[in-house]
């Protein structure tokens, strides 16, 4: 799945992994965009209070458009979900 930016009819913009069908779209790993101050963009999880592990399906009539986001924006969203992985420690002799 590719990351796409979706503009909903209520004005909300969501970036996430989008799959499309004729009647609906599904957004997985979605993050809503907001502007905390002019010139800045913040992210909040989309529908964080649900159990929608496989994504949120939205009827196409509520979608204004879908576009490809800048790669830097995708990297930032991926970074929001990144976890710190500690390497396995080997004993050096």
């Amino acid at each position: 799945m590719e990351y796409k930016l979706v503009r909903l009819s209520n004005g909300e913009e969501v970036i996430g992994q989008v799959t499309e069908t004729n009647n609906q779209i599904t957004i997985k790993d979605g993050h809503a965009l907001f502007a905390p101050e002019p010139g800045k963009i913040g992210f909040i999880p989309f529908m964080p209070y649900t159990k929608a592990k496989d994504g949120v399906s939205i009827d196409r009539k509520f979608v204004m458009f879908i576009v490809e986001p800048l790669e830097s924006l995708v990297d930032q969203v991926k970074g929001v979900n990144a976890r710190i992985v500690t390497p396995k420690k080997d004993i050096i002799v």
Side-chain angles (χ1 to χ4, degrees), residues 2-44:
E2 290 185 68
Y3 278 83
K4 302 273 183 151
L5 188 124
V6 179
R7 178 80 177 255
L8 301 175
S9 60
N10 67 357
E12 189 170 22
E13 292 179 336
V14 181
I15 186 169
Q17 296 175 342
V18 176
T19 53
E20 303 179 56
T21 65
N22 289 336
N23 300 327
Q24 65 182 15
I25 67 163
T26 300
I27 303 173
K28 186 175 181 181
D29 188 28
H31 286 79
L33 280 67
F34 70 98
E37 59 185 74
K40 305 247 178 180
I41 295 176
F43 305 100
I44 56 173

Side-chain angles (χ1 to χ4, degrees), residues 2-87:
E2 290 185 68
Y3 278 83
K4 302 273 183 151
L5 188 124
V6 179
R7 178 80 177 255
L8 301 175
S9 60
N10 67 357
E12 189 170 22
E13 292 179 336
V14 181
I15 186 169
Q17 296 175 342
V18 176
T19 53
E20 303 179 56
T21 65
N22 289 336
N23 300 327
Q24 65 182 15
I25 67 163
T26 300
I27 303 173
K28 186 175 181 181
D29 188 28
H31 286 79
L33 280 67
F34 70 98
E37 59 185 74
K40 305 247 178 180
I41 295 176
F43 305 100
I44 56 173
F46 184 61
M47 305 293 287
Y49 42 84
T50 68
K51 294 182 180 181
K53 293 181 199 174
D54 297 326
V56 176
S57 295
I58 301 170
D59 194 300
R60 275 200 179 272
K61 68 182 175 185
F62 299 114
V63 175
M64 294 187 66
F65 56 81
I66 300 171
V67 295
E68 289 195 35
L70 295 173
E71 202 59 42
S72 60
L73 193 63
V74 173
D75 291 342
Q76 288 180 23
V77 170
K78 287 179 180 179
V80 168
N81 293 330
R83 293 190 169 96
I84 297 174
V85 178
T86 57

